[in-house]
Amino acid sequence: MNTNPTTIGQYLIERLLAHGVKHVFGVPGDYVLGFFQEMAQSELHLVNTCDEQGAGFAADAYARLNGLGVVCVTYCVGGLKIANTTAQAFAEKSPVIVISGAPGTDERIHDPLLHHKVRSFDTQLKVFEQLTVATAVLDNPLTACSEINRVLEAALHHCRPVYIELPRNMVHAPVFPMPVAIPVAETSDPNALAEALREATAMIAQAKRPVILAGEELHRFGLQSLLNDLVEETDIPVAATILGKSVFPESHRRYLGIYEGALSHPEICDYVESSDCLICLGSILTEIDLGIYTAHLNQDHCIYVSNERLAIRFHRYDHVQLRDFLEGLVNAHLSVCNTDTITQIKTPEFQIDYNQRITLGRLFGRLDTFIDQNTIVIAEPGDALFSGADLHIQQRNRFLSPAHYTSLGFAVPAALGAQLADPTLRPLVLVGDGAFQMTGMELSTIVRFGLNPIVVVLNNQGYATERPMEDGRFNDVLNWHYSRLSEVFGAGQGFTIRTEGQLETALYFASQHTGSFCILDVQLEPNDTSLSLKRLTQVLAERVHSTASM
Ligand SMILES: Cc1ncc(C[n+]2csc(CCOP(=O)(O)OP(=O)(O)O)c2C)c(N)n1
Ligand SMILES: [Mg+2]
């Protein structure tokens, strides 16, 4: 750790590198240009996107894979554009560092109306106070270093975004860093932990059919090997929430599938809901995880433990860490009676019918056999996610989707972030035509940085998810020639797909052509939607209409 005199800008860069950040996504502007130049001359790789929202989503995906991601923008015109992506990172626990340039402290005297200013100089700060777990304005060289370390630690501790504002005259301000204090890990109350483990192990031992429901926090807080140990030790079957999809290897002999209330496969739903001991680990149990509250989970049969709460049946335990509880379960060497042979929903054989018109179901049937060890599936909210939920993801952490916050526009920029975080992966991007039109231009950034995702556009001529709830021209989008985007960008390869044979040709080409992106314009009937989407929109339509009649 360097404690020699340095500058605020240099110190911030050094701390990002020390935390394993290699790439920074963003768009420069005059309030942040000085810091961009500092980053450009450092070991950090700058990835300037077409739009700030693209940078925000890329940083979110990068953070989910790398453990920390960074988006750097200019004041308000850039910063406020990533309010949405930061909100998503907060809602879904993704540790994104937002760095925004800002007017210099010397420029703020007498409160002038500088460009990009909204109401007052702290408007943007106030917005981000709502969207992050910690904020720092680096306006004082005496405290800047400790402020940087405080917010970075907060991002790691809570696995949520933080905000750093850097007034432009402070980038080169000299500082004398102090050695960084090693954060003290939060520990459990030993009595509460012991009591909770006593109750939980007794409940599991008595149960006839215990089941684990695994959620996203196991990934975010690095607890997946403990889950694996628990399953190897006990043979308890595992279902995952949709937000936690791929937290457990889906090829594992004890993996059941995705549980999301009535939206899940009926066999999985029955198995989970009829369990006499449901061990729910690291899930925040969102509305979507619970199948829009169609889930029937009996609290009397539940052990619920997340990073923030532990409840066993109707008893609540405070100050027990998820990690400690999980370690306790593994070390308890439980003897479990659930020796059920579970029925797994396997990838079905796929026989191509070359001249057959392509349908959504057949597309996903084929994609399920196309996924390999190096694929990371990135699914946009909409039918891409609902159909994507049933894909068999063999490796851990190879499925990304904002399944709770469900902001459209994530998938294409997320491919950029994911592939830079782990260049061994090839993203398979599943995106609706509506969502593609929001951020698809980041394919341009993907070309500039030499990446090669396969982008599958589900072209059903608009907002299929919304049509069953309320239809009108507002659900239509222009029918782009998606396959010709490769001409626009001067790279990549595009395919228009109407038949299974055309899909086959495109997938074969994509598997061979790894030099750039491939885009598949899959032309579907507007009403060709998945069963999950049909079930979901039926529930949502009832809600829309019951609110309308109130
Ligand atoms: C940023 C954002 N704007 C609006 C919505 C509301 N919304 C949810 S689904 C949907 C339609 C998505 O259309 P498309 O991407 O084509 O997918 P499809 O529904 O056709 O599968 C919309 C507009 C949203 N979730 N996110
Ligand atoms: Mg669509």
Side-chain angles (χ1 to χ4, degrees):
M1 165 75 225
N2 181 13
T3 52
N4 293 327
T6 179
T7 61
I8 293 182
Q10 283 301 328
Y11 186 75
L12 179 52
I13 291 168
E14 192 187 302
R15 296 309 299 150
L16 295 177
L17 286 165
H19 281 291
V21 173
K22 295 189 182 68
H23 298 84
V24 172
F25 303 89
V27 177
D30 63 339
Y31 290 119
V32 76
L33 270 174
F35 186 57
F36 261 71
Q37 191 60 269
E38 292 287 302
M39 287 193 288
Q41 287 168 20
S42 76
E43 285 170 44
L44 289 173
H45 300 281
L46 275 179
V47 182
N48 58 307
T49 50
C50 299
D51 184 71
E52 284 85 353
Q53 189 171 221
F57 283 138
D60 178 351
Y62 190 93
R64 291 181 197 215
L65 292 182
N66 183 58
L68 213 55
V70 181
V71 54
C72 184
V73 290
T74 193
Y75 184 59
C76 290
V77 290
L80 296 177
K81 271 209 221 170
I82 55 165
N84 180 53
T85 65
T86 309
Q88 172 169 295
F90 186 96
E92 300 205 352
K93 298 203 170 181
S94 178
V96 174
I97 316 295
V98 177
I99 302 175
S100 175
T105 49
D106 50 348
E107 296 169 89
R108 302 188 189 200
I109 299 163
H110 305 308
D111 202 22
L113 257 185
L114 301 184
H115 63 286
H116 304 341
K117 185 177 170 190
V118 185
R119 181 191 293 255
S120 62
F121 281 115
D122 61 3
T123 302
Q124 179 173 283
L125 170 68
K126 284 183 177 157
V127 169
F128 278 87
E129 277 168 359
Q130 296 296 314
L131 306 175
T132 60
V133 285
T135 62
V137 180
L138 306 181
D139 54 4
N140 181 352
L142 290 176
T143 55
C145 297
S146 56
E147 283 293 276
I148 289 169
N149 289 316
R150 176 179 66 78
V151 295
L152 292 182
E153 283 311 325
L156 292 169
H157 178 75
H158 297 282
C159 216
R160 282 195 150 133
V162 295
Y163 173 80
I164 297 177
E165 187 169 307
L166 181 54
R168 62 173 155 185
N169 63 330
M170 288 290 146
V171 175
H172 299 111
V175 284
F176 295 89
M178 305 285 284
V180 181
I182 297 167
V184 185
E186 229 173 286
T187 50
S188 300
D189 174 332
N191 295 327
L193 175 64
E195 177 79 22
L197 281 169
R198 251 195 309 277
E199 183 171 4
T201 50
M203 190 171 157
I204 297 168
Q206 278 163 20
K208 298 210 166 45
R209 283 195 17 178
V211 177
I212 293 169
L213 181 60
E216 66 294 338
E217 286 186 353
L218 298 171
H219 162 239
R220 305 291 199 278
F221 294 100
L223 304 174
Q224 285 166 288
S225 36
L226 279 175
L227 169 64
N228 257 38
D229 293 349
L230 183 63
V231 178
E232 293 311 328
E233 179 82 29
T234 61
D235 250 14
I236 300 177
V238 182
T241 62
I242 182 70
L243 209 57
K245 183 169 170 69
S246 83
V247 72
F248 188 71
E250 299 192 347
S251 49
H252 194 283
R253 65 193 164 80
R254 299 306 274 167
Y255 180 69
L256 289 163
I258 297 292
Y259 171 75
E260 45 178 344
L263 306 186
S264 8
H265 277 277
E267 309 91 277
I268 300 168
C269 187
D270 283 352
Y271 199 96
V272 170
E273 294 187 355
S274 64
S275 165
D276 54 352
C277 179
L278 182 67
I279 310 162
C280 184
L281 299 173
S283 167
I284 53 174
L285 289 184
T286 70
E287 177 197 32
I288 307 276
D289 288 329
L290 296 171
I292 318 290
Y293 298 125
T294 52
H296 294 287
L297 301 179
N298 184 345
Q299 199 178 341
D300 202 23
H301 296 157
C302 265
I303 297 172
Y304 173 85
V305 50
S306 74
N307 204 43
E308 274 132 45
R309 201 165 80 89
L310 167 53
I312 301 174
R313 292 195 177 116
F314 298 95
H315 304 150
R316 217 190 123 139
Y317 296 86
D318 291 331
H319 310 298
V320 178
Q321 300 290 307
L322 175 58
R323 175 185 295 276
D324 295 340
F325 184 78
L326 205 45
E327 264 170 9
L329 284 187
V330 174
N331 296 333
H333 304 299
L334 293 157
S335 60
V336 171
C337 21
N338 190 347
T339 49
D340 284 4
T341 19
I342 55 174
T343 18
Q344 289 182 314
I345 300 156
K346 298 258 187 234
T347 305
E349 291 278 316
F350 190 89
Q351 297 292 336
I352 304 156
D353 189 348
Y354 282 88
N355 295 319
Q356 188 61 41
R357 188 86 169 74
I358 192 73
T359 62
L360 186 79
R362 293 285 291 171
L363 168 69
F364 277 82
R366 177 65 185 97
L367 291 177
D368 209 12
T369 62
F370 181 74
I371 294 169
D372 69 18
Q373 302 286 318
N374 298 321
T375 309
I376 180 162
V377 175
I378 305 183
E380 189 79 69
D383 224 353
L385 172 60
F386 291 112
S387 300
D390 291 335
L391 293 173
H392 292 81
I393 310 294
Q394 296 159 26
Q395 307 279 93
R396 285 196 314 205
N397 312 331
R398 297 286 166 81
F399 186 88
L400 282 184
S401 184
H404 159 51
Y405 186 68
T406 59
S407 175
L408 297 176
F410 173 74
V412 174
L416 174 69
Q419 211 174 14
L420 287 172
D422 185 348
T424 65
L425 300 178
R426 188 172 195 195
L428 176 66
V429 176
L430 309 172
V431 54
D433 48 352
F436 184 87
Q437 294 192 8
M438 293 185 181
T439 53
M441 64 200 157
E442 298 302 348
L443 272 181
S444 167
T445 320
I446 281 169
V447 170
R448 283 189 58 226
F449 289 85
L451 306 173
N452 65 355
I454 301 169
V455 179
V456 179
V457 181
L458 307 181
N459 181 357
N460 53 19
Q461 295 160 43
Y463 300 161
T465 305
E466 302 204 326
R467 292 194 196 282
M469 293 185 249
E470 200 74 75
D471 206 3
R473 287 200 63 197
F474 45 78
N475 285 327
D476 300 340
V477 300
L478 186 72
N479 195 6
W480 290 8
H481 297 293
Y482 301 96
S483 62
R484 291 172 62 185
L485 285 172
S486 52
E487 289 167 41
V488 175
F489 297 126
Q493 191 70 37
F495 298 86
T496 302
I497 290 161
R498 289 193 196 83
T499 64
E500 292 190 8
Q502 288 168 334
L503 174 65
E504 212 44 43
T505 309
L507 290 179
Y508 177 74
F509 182 92
S511 63
Q512 303 298 309
H513 172 93
T514 53
S516 188
F517 75 88
C518 288
I519 183 162
L520 281 58
D521 173 0
V522 184
Q523 306 201 338
L524 302 164
E525 294 298 330
N527 59 359
D528 181 7
T529 55
S530 67
L531 216 59
S532 306
L533 187 79
K534 286 194 174 74
R535 284 194 218 119
L536 170 79
T537 48
Q538 196 185 340
V539 180
L540 291 179
E542 280 160 20
R543 276 205 206 161
V544 167
H545 293 116
S546 67
T547 336
S549 59
M550 272 181 353

